[in-house]
Amino acid sequence: MVDPGRIHTFAGAALIGGAMVLFGAGYAIFHALAGLSRSRRFAYISLVSYAALAACALALVPLLDLEGWWLGLIALLLIGYFVAPRFIWRLSLAVHGEGGGPPEGAARPED
Amino acid sequence: MTLGGINYHELSFAQRLSVKYFTVAMVLFLAQMLFGLLAGAQFLWPDFLFGVLDFNVNRMVHINAMVVWMLYGFIGSIFWLVEDESGVPLVGPRIAEATFWVLTLAVTVVVVVYLVVQSGPGNQWTLWLINEGREYIEAPRWADIGIVLCMVAIFYNVAGTFVAGRWSGISGVLVLDLIALAGLYLAGMFYTTNLPMDQYWWWWVIHLWVEATWEVLVGCIMAWGLIKTLGARRRIVTTWLYIEVALMFGSGILGLGHHYFWIGTPEYWLGIGGFFSALEPIPLVAMVVHAVYDAGRHSFRSNNHPALAWLIAHAFGNFLGAGVWGFMQTLPQINMYTHGTQWSSSHGHLAFFGAYTTIVVAFIYLAIQRLRGDVWMSAGMDGAWRWKWALALLHIGMVGMSIALLIAGYEQSFVERAVGGSTWQAYFAGQTQPWFVQAMWWRMAFGVLMTAGLVLLLVDFLRAGAQETRPIKSLALPQAAAAGG
Ligand code: HEM
Ligand code: HEM
Ligand SMILES: [Fe+2]
């Protein structure tokens, strides 16, 4: 039998993990909205979401007793969630030719 | 074409075939719900239909019907787009038509046998004729072989049509993905009496389907759908598809290890599975950026409101059900307690619905628009309340059900795993606690709500666009139109 208090720690860690991914979406959505509307408020909310994401990720370390290369996973999560949405955003702009170049990739006639 | 009428005979051959696939898919979806309700009821009244339709049978029909109807939905979608995307007619119409009927007959026989022969010995005979005993893909061996032959025939038609016509980024990814998807099915036919080995291969099918090949397949369908509903640029959509494939396969293939924690496989899977599967939500989150970008760029103008709404539901549902609910239990430190509880079931329901039901429904709405003669299906659409209510009821039902199951799973982890120490007795003790029992009632209530939503959805499929006499308005963006004609 496990110490019953311990299970709440694990279940809490699960919920915090879920919240981390939700904040990841918040970060991504507001990053995209900020780019679309050029609004500083959205950019700000996006960064706050990322901060919350980072807090959740770091909270997993003591809750799950992570050590050794599991810490590397946390670092990778922090980097991956930060970079991927920005990367996709840039890609969307570039493909639409909004990065300064001419509009490219016109749809086919039947599109 | 008559606006608002049924223009079945004006559709191309492959699209008429799609309509058949979609029809069977929806019949099976309804069957899935009804068997789900029966299985759910047996949690409340364990004697209900005992010896007549046992829980294991209801559960089996529930999830096998799900897998089959989703595959039917995907095949229907592929046949719908293949001629448009390749620019030539289907290469083997006769074979395609025959495949549909053979496959449907086989599915019917398999289900009837499930219902007629509910118990008996497990040996080579039953393996070949009745039930292979692998959750989600329980079809007996004869049907397995038939399914594989049908898949080869379908593949011949799809790939052959692209070869005869023209290739595109979308079709290239689609064809490669179909090879992987069909190839993986073979892993599920491998027979061994060694349980860890059996489970090892079985997960290749289940996990590598839903978390790799199916995701990419719906990515292809969605890419084509975005071009059609939003007039999105082909180039942006295709580039995104390549990135998605890289991210999905990069994390999803080794993420397989999150099913190898406790089945007797070597310990290194704890690290590999935990590590890679923890990265799986990243592409799902990134996908949301793409959805927001596309929707924002086109200011939500679309020529098919229900389809667009369900495509957006797909982007968010995939993220929530697979990404959030999946991540919660994917680290071995957590999974040790949640493994195999209603927590898993909560995730299973939300992920399958959010990722795959949504996209098939979206695609059917696209097909209906064409069937009705390319009618107007946007703002001010006649009877729009039906699709909106169906969408709302199905989603409220599904989210409510998932939360109820999550609560039950939390309680099981606590009572059965922590306090009870995972004994056989504790397994049952966990299921008599008030939190668990109440959650089962809530699941039932939300299940009824969902079923009502599904009935309304099916009514809407028959009625949407029927009273409409306004034609579709072309949606392509001004620049796209100027550049592409
Ligand atoms: C659309 C994609 C997905 C679908 C349809 C799906 C579906 C399912 C289903 C049905 C199960 C239960 C399997 C069983 O019968 O034992 C399951 C288990 C699991 N899923 Fe997913 N899943 C998806 C994506 C993900 C992702 C992205 C993650 C991780 C981030 C994940 C993590 C897990 C884990 C850890 C389990 C094992 C639960 C246990 O130990 O009982 N899933 N999934
Ligand atoms: C009327 C609504 C529904 C009800 C009442 C219902 C009920 C059930 C029940 C009782 C089980 C067996 C759980 C167990 O073994 O403990 C089950 C399993 C399952 N159902 Fe449903 N269900 C419904 C709708 C759906 C829908 C819409 C989907 C997906 C699109 C779905 C996907 C699944 C999956 C994947 C499993 C296996 C889960 C696992 O083993 O972890 N169900 N369902
Ligand atoms: Fe998985």
Side-chain angles (χ1 to χ4, degrees), chain B residues 292-376:
Chain B
V292 173
Y293 182 87
D294 260 355
R297 266 283 154 264
H298 303 280
S299 320
F300 285 101
R301 280 188 306 140
S302 118
N303 55 28
N304 188 325
H305 275 186
L308 181 67
W310 280 94
L311 279 179
I312 293 172
H314 164 77
F316 284 94
N318 198 2
F319 153 75
L320 206 65
V324 176
W325 255 247
F327 186 85
M328 279 201 271
Q329 37 157 7
T330 210
L331 293 174
Q333 294 88 341
I334 293 170
N335 189 269
M336 184 160 97
Y337 297 96
T338 60
H339 176 62
T341 60
Q342 294 295 329
W343 200 310
S344 316
S345 184
S346 170
H347 156 65
H349 277 89
L350 200 57
F352 264 112
F353 179 83
Y356 300 123
T357 301
T358 49
I359 189 95
V360 173
V361 171
F363 209 95
I364 292 179
Y365 272 115
L366 283 183
I368 284 173
Q369 187 170 32
R370 178 123 192 91
L371 188 64
R372 291 288 179 185
D374 284 338
V375 287
W376 178 260

Side-chain angles (χ1 to χ4, degrees), chain B residues 97-128:
Chain B
E97 177 87 17
T99 313
F100 167 78
W101 291 106
V102 171
L103 196 60
T104 305
L105 185 70
V107 169
T108 314
V109 173
V110 168
V111 173
V112 169
V113 171
Y114 284 167
L115 295 176
V116 173
V117 189
Q118 296 187 23
S119 59
N123 54 33
Q124 284 293 327
W125 275 105
T126 56
L127 179 83
W128 275 93

Side-chain angles (χ1 to χ4, degrees), chain B residues 143-388:
Chain B
D144 271 349
I145 294 173
I147 289 169
V148 170
L149 291 177
C150 288
M151 290 303 148
V152 170
I154 289 168
F155 181 78
Y156 157 75
N157 255 309
V158 174
T161 305
F162 285 121
V163 169
R166 60 170 175 229
W167 286 96
S168 65
I170 296 178
S171 56
V173 174
L174 180 68
V175 164
L176 289 176
D177 192 61
L178 284 177
I179 297 178
L181 199 157
L184 283 167
Y185 189 76
L186 300 177
M189 293 169 63
F190 179 70
Y191 179 76
T192 159
T193 50
N194 178 317
L195 216 52
M197 270 168 77
D198 181 86
Q199 292 271 295
Y200 182 93
W201 293 111
W202 170 73
W203 278 116
W204 274 48
V205 192
I206 304 308
H207 172 98
L208 293 178
W209 264 9
V210 302
E211 285 163 67
T213 48
W214 282 27
E215 285 278 6
V216 169
L217 180 66
V218 301
C220 295
I221 294 173
M222 178 128 173
W224 190 86
L226 283 174
I227 294 174
K228 293 292 152 182
T229 50
L230 286 178
R233 295 280 190 80
R234 180 169 285 275
R235 177 102 182 263
I236 178 175
V237 169
T238 312
T239 313
W240 164 245
L241 190 62
Y242 295 146
I243 304 286
E244 186 191 333
V245 173
L247 291 175
M248 284 288 173
F249 282 2
S251 58
I253 291 178
L254 284 173
L256 172 66
H258 63 194
H259 303 291
Y260 293 167
F261 294 156
W262 330 112
I263 65 168
T265 30
E267 216 175 299
Y268 52 73
W269 283 111
L270 293 176
I272 298 176
F275 206 87
F276 283 92
S277 69
L279 301 177
E280 282 185 48
I282 292 180
L284 304 177
V285 168
M287 210 181 283
V288 171
V289 174
H290 181 234
V292 173
Y293 182 87
D294 260 355
R297 266 283 154 264
H298 303 280
S299 320
F300 285 101
R301 280 188 306 140
S302 118
N303 55 28
N304 188 325
H305 275 186
L308 181 67
W310 280 94
L311 279 179
I312 293 172
H314 164 77
F316 284 94
N318 198 2
F319 153 75
L320 206 65
V324 176
W325 255 247
F327 186 85
M328 279 201 271
Q329 37 157 7
T330 210
L331 293 174
Q333 294 88 341
I334 293 170
N335 189 269
M336 184 160 97
Y337 297 96
T338 60
H339 176 62
T341 60
Q342 294 295 329
W343 200 310
S344 316
S345 184
S346 170
H347 156 65
H349 277 89
L350 200 57
F352 264 112
F353 179 83
Y356 300 123
T357 301
T358 49
I359 189 95
V360 173
V361 171
F363 209 95
I364 292 179
Y365 272 115
L366 283 183
I368 284 173
Q369 187 170 32
R370 178 123 192 91
L371 188 64
R372 291 288 179 185
D374 284 338
V375 287
W376 178 260
M377 279 178 67
S378 325
M381 169 185 171
D382 190 59
W385 68 272
R386 275 189 310 261
W387 76 259
K388 290 179 183 164

Side-chain angles (χ1 to χ4, degrees), chain A residues 1-2 7-8 10-11 14 17 24-25 29 66 69 76-77 81 84 88-89 95-96 98 104 106-111, chain B residues 166 168 233-236 240 271 275 278 281-282 285 288-289 293 297 319 327-328 333 337 410 414 418-419 483-484:
Chain A
M1 174 176 152
V2 187
I7 193 78
H8 287 308
F10 282 107
I29 289 171
L66 298 184
W69 68 295
L76 208 61
L77 287 178
Y81 278 101
I88 299 298
W89 172 252
V95 179
H96 258 245
E98 290 183 19
E104 279 183 280
R108 288 178 184 176
E110 77 274 22
D111 292 337
Chain B
R166 60 170 175 229
S168 65
R233 295 280 190 80
R234 180 169 285 275
R235 177 102 182 263
I236 178 175
W240 164 245
F275 206 87
I282 292 180
V285 168
V288 171
V289 174
Y293 182 87
R297 266 283 154 264
F319 153 75
F327 186 85
M328 279 201 271
Q333 294 88 341
Y337 297 96
Y410 195 135
F414 185 73
V419 178

